[in-house]
């Protein structure tokens, strides 16, 4: 397996404060319909505020948001972000929004105070999620934030909950199962 | 510095022995849950995700409680298929504690009533309203789709939430109920008169709590959950502990916050100053004194949900409906929280009262509160209910107007066909009195 890329370099896509998940990130319909297919979701990312976003975004681009990102029902938008290879830096986001984002394997930092002020849409950003180090090459500025916690690194490296579960089954689950069957004499 | 209740409970269940006495807010850990709960609306997704990962079995089937409460009537072929899938999955996973449609009731009510959820417990749940466990001093933590990880591997990560404390002082006025306290709190937070941020916090109640019975304690859990609390904690009274001991299906040890525990914020509400509240359409924090919406005509009313589905709530509704008729043109749904309550309603004569009044009694479960899989509204209609929230479109059409009130307010309004102050409507004295001993 190739080494996981913890550093993203790409363009900044800047949003404001209090952007809700339904509507602000992806139309509510796809959330309530529990749509999980990236192919279906990608064309609708930021559709209500910036139609065609997906045609302009490139892998490595970084979404930078203000406070309280992603309130409300959530999930589908992070699937689309992950499919597009994007990263996410928020001044703040709720724990449940953070959970939903990491469950999809998104490279995300939920506590980046001041990040909004030091970036503009289109800036050339380089973010090391493992160190929490951000370089804004356009503005020649740097900042350090809390990195991805050690306890969650494997989850992100395995591409989120589904990937992590498969990894767990290969490395731990299968052995546990074999031990259990040996005990049961089957 | 002492620990809050959640800090102690998560410390006890942490895989890290260093956490045993308690674990500070903000710590990320992997707790060993006492129980894992999943409901009918998410079994299929969890099963698929586990199958895709090659995980054919549940880590510890004996810990799992699988409940059917979101869709028990199967109003569509799709719902029936889902039910069949769930039954088969329960068998494959060897889940003994599987409460199928018609067997248990609401997963955030009947397990507390029947001693499956007990003081001091910690469990993982896919659903947000697991916070109801706080009514008996337990913690149920929502992990959404990650329930597949918990089912497969036994745990998932948790960050210990911070706790805010709300002290309830004084006595409620006649005709004001525990749901009104929650609605009032929501409006005070929205208006910034109450400096609470409930996002991923535990809301711990304090103050004059002994006056609040089991049903009232459940009602206290509702609004905070809609305002994104990670949990609610109502320190169990002697009466609650007595009930739990009587029904306990396992040993338990109640947990309380230390006197010197660190709270994120502490505030007080004077209960005697609260009027009956009606939540105006759009959000649970849109509450106002009932005077503001009095006389609004309603087409639809519903008493039930995890916020108001306790036996006290049924008794409250019956005390207004006895010997009266629901207004012409209004459809009233009554949904008990458990099959246990349904049986009691039959034995105690409540069922007769409801049927005579022209109300429709649905099987125990979520009822219309699950995005109106039953009992939706038509375009332009108005509802008043005890649902957990009144977000736009919750009962179907986006242009339907959804009000929330206490069981007393909803019952009084269903009788008159318009939003009505329950303080002006007489109640059957015996049924009202029975509320005090509903869970003796």
């Amino acid at each position: 397996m190739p080494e996981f890329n913890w550093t993203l370099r790409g363009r900044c896509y800047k949003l404001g404060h209090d952007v809700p998940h339904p509507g602000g990130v992806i139309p509510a319909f796809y959330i309530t319909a529990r749509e999980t297919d990236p192919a279906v979701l990608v064309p609708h990312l930021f559709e209500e505020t910036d139609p065609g976003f997906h045609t302009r975004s490139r892998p490595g681009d970084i979404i930078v948001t203000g406070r309280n990102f992603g309130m409300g029902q959530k999930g589908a938008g992070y699937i689309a972000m992950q499919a597009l290879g994007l990263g996410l830096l928020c001044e703040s986001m709720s724990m449940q929004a953070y959970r939903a984002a990491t469950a999809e394997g998104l490279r995300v930092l939920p506590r980046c105070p001041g990040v909004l002020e030091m970036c503009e849409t289109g800036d050339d950003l380089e973010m090391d999620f493992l160190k929490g180090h951000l370089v804004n090459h356009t503005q020649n500025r740097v900042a350090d934030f809390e990195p991805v916690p050690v306890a969650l690194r494997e989850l992100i490296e395995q591409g989120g909950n589904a990937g992590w579960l498969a990894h767990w089954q290969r490395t731990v689950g299968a052995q546990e199962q074999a031990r259990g069957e040996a005990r049961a004499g089957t | 510095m002492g620990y809050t209740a959640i800090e102690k409970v998560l410390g006890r269940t942490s895989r890290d022995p260093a956490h045993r006495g308690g674990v500070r807010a903000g710590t990320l850990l992997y707790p060993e849950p006492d129980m894992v709960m999943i409901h009918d609306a998410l079994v299929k997704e969890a099963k698929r995700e586990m199958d895709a990962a090659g995980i054919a079995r549940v880590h510890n089937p004996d810990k799992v409680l699988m409940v059917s409460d979101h869709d028990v009537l199967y109003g569509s072929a799709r719902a029936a298929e889902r039910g069949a899938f769930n039954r088969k999955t329960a068998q494959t996973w060897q889940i003994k504690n599987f409460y199928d449609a018609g067997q248990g009731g609401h997963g955030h009510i009947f397990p507390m009533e029947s001693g499956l959820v007990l003081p001091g417990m910690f469990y993982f749940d896919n659903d947000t309203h697991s916070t109801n466990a706080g009514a008996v001093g337990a913690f149920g933590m929502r992990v959404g789709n990650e329930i597949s990880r918990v089912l497969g591997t036994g745990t998932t990560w948790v960050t210990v939430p911070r706790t805010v404390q709300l002290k309830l002082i004084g006595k409620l006025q006649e005709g004001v109920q525990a749901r009104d306290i929650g609605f009032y709190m929501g409006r005070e937070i929205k208006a910034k008169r109450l400096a609470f941020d409930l996002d991923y916090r535990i809301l711990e109640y304090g103050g004059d709590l002994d006056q609040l019975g089991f049903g009232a304690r459940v009602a206290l859990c509702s609004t905070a959950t809609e305002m994104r609390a990670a949990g609610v904690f109502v320190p169990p009274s002697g009466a609650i502990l007595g009930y739990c001991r009587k029904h306990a299906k396992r040993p338990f040890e109640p947990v309380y916050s230390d006197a010197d525990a660190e709270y994120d914020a502490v505030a007080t509400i004077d209960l005697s100053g609260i009027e009956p509240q009606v939540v105006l359409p759009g959000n649970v924090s849109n509450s106002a004194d009932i005077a503001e919406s009095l006389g609004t005509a309603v087409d639809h009313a519903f008493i039930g949900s995890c916020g108001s589905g306790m036996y006290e709530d049924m008794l409250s509704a019956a005390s207004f409906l006895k010997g009266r008729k629901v207004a012409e043109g209004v459809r009233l749904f009554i949904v008990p929280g458990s099959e246990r309550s349904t049986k009691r309603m039959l034995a105690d004569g409540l069922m007769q009262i409801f049927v005579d009044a022209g109300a429709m009694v649905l099987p125990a479960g979520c009822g219309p509160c699950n995005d109106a899989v039953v009992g939706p509204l038509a375009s332009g209609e108005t509802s008043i209910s005890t649902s957990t929230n009144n977000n736009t479109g919750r009962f179907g059409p986006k242009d339907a107007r959804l009000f929330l009130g206490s069981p007393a307010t909803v019952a009084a309004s269903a009788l008159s066909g318009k939003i009505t102050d329950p303080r002006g409507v007489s109640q059957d004295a015996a049924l009202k009195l029975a509320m005090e001993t509903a869970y003796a």
Side-chain angles (χ1 to χ4, degrees), chain B residues 93-165:
Chain B
W93 282 348
Q94 301 180 338
I95 309 295
K96 283 188 252 133
N97 277 324
F98 170 48
Y99 290 83
D100 203 353
Q103 292 179 356
H106 199 300
H108 299 128
I109 289 183
F110 86 82
M112 289 192 290
E113 286 184 343
S114 50
L116 292 163
V117 168
L118 293 157
M121 259 178 77
F122 173 78
Y123 72 95
F124 281 117
D125 192 318
N126 66 280
D127 192 278
T128 314
H129 298 104
S130 53
T131 50
N132 258 24
V136 293
F139 292 98
M141 190 155 279
R142 176 219 182 249
V143 291
N145 292 334
E146 283 173 70
I147 202 70
S148 56
R149 177 171 173 167
V150 179
L151 288 166
T153 73
T155 186
T156 190
W157 64 277
V158 160
T159 300
V160 183
R162 299 181 67 82
T163 300
V164 297
Q165 192 190 36

Side-chain angles (χ1 to χ4, degrees), chain B residues 263-335:
Chain B
Y263 294 105
D264 208 29
V266 179
T268 300
I269 287 182
D270 176 7
L271 297 183
S272 65
I274 301 178
E275 294 279 299
Q277 301 290 299
V278 168
V279 182
L280 309 178
N283 190 281
V284 78
S285 62
N286 290 345
S287 186
D289 289 352
I290 194 166
E292 205 163 303
S293 52
L294 277 181
T296 305
V298 297
D299 307 287
H300 174 281
F302 155 51
I303 297 169
S305 89
C306 51
S308 300
M310 296 290 282
Y311 201 63
E312 273 136 288
D313 302 309
M314 302 297 111
L315 285 164
S316 173
S319 74
F320 287 95
L321 294 171
K322 188 174 182 183
R324 298 190 172 114
K325 291 271 183 207
V326 171
E328 192 71 28
V330 175
R331 52 197 193 278
L332 168 63
F333 296 99
I334 305 231
V335 189

Side-chain angles (χ1 to χ4, degrees), chain B residues 131-309:
Chain B
T131 50
N132 258 24
V136 293
F139 292 98
M141 190 155 279
R142 176 219 182 249
V143 291
N145 292 334
E146 283 173 70
I147 202 70
S148 56
R149 177 171 173 167
V150 179
L151 288 166
T153 73
T155 186
T156 190
W157 64 277
V158 160
T159 300
V160 183
R162 299 181 67 82
T163 300
V164 297
Q165 192 190 36
L166 182 60
K167 292 179 180 167
L168 306 179
I169 306 297
K171 270 189 81 95
L172 286 173
Q173 288 177 46
E174 194 67 23
V176 183
Q177 299 187 313
R179 278 304 288 277
D180 292 309
I181 303 173
F183 297 147
Y184 180 81
M185 176 195 71
R187 106 188 214 189
E188 292 299 287
I189 291 174
K190 187 183 180 190
K192 299 195 191 303
R193 284 188 292 268
L194 200 55
F196 273 2
D197 177 1
L198 289 178
D199 186 26
Y200 200 69
R201 304 302 200 282
I202 301 294
L203 171 65
E204 174 173 331
Y205 286 97
D208 303 329
L209 300 177
D210 281 349
Q211 61 186 313
L212 301 171
F214 198 173
R217 286 163 187 257
V218 168
L220 283 182
C221 298
S222 187
T223 299
T225 307
E226 301 302 319
M227 298 184 82
R228 308 194 305 271
V232 178
F233 180 69
V234 192
S237 61
I240 292 291
L241 292 179
Y243 180 88
C244 290
R245 277 193 205 102
K246 199 164 136 191
H247 296 271
K249 300 282 194 296
R250 55 185 290 159
F252 68 93
E253 186 68 44
V255 169
Y256 297 88
S257 294
D258 291 329
D260 58 346
E262 189 184 357
Y263 294 105
D264 208 29
V266 179
T268 300
I269 287 182
D270 176 7
L271 297 183
S272 65
I274 301 178
E275 294 279 299
Q277 301 290 299
V278 168
V279 182
L280 309 178
N283 190 281
V284 78
S285 62
N286 290 345
S287 186
D289 289 352
I290 194 166
E292 205 163 303
S293 52
L294 277 181
T296 305
V298 297
D299 307 287
H300 174 281
F302 155 51
I303 297 169
S305 89
C306 51
S308 300

Side-chain angles (χ1 to χ4, degrees), chain B residues 80-96:
Chain B
E81 291 299 332
R82 189 176 269 273
F85 182 93
N86 293 351
R87 270 187 287 284
K88 203 171 154 205
T89 300
Q91 224 170 16
T92 307
W93 282 348
Q94 301 180 338
I95 309 295
K96 283 188 252 133

Side-chain angles (χ1 to χ4, degrees), chain A residues 87-90 93 98 101-102 105-110 129 147-149 156:
Chain A
L88 175 63
L89 304 177
C90 306
M93 74 194 297
Y98 179 62
T102 53
L106 199 68
R107 279 156 288 197
V108 49
L109 296 185
F129 287 84
V148 173
I156 305 298

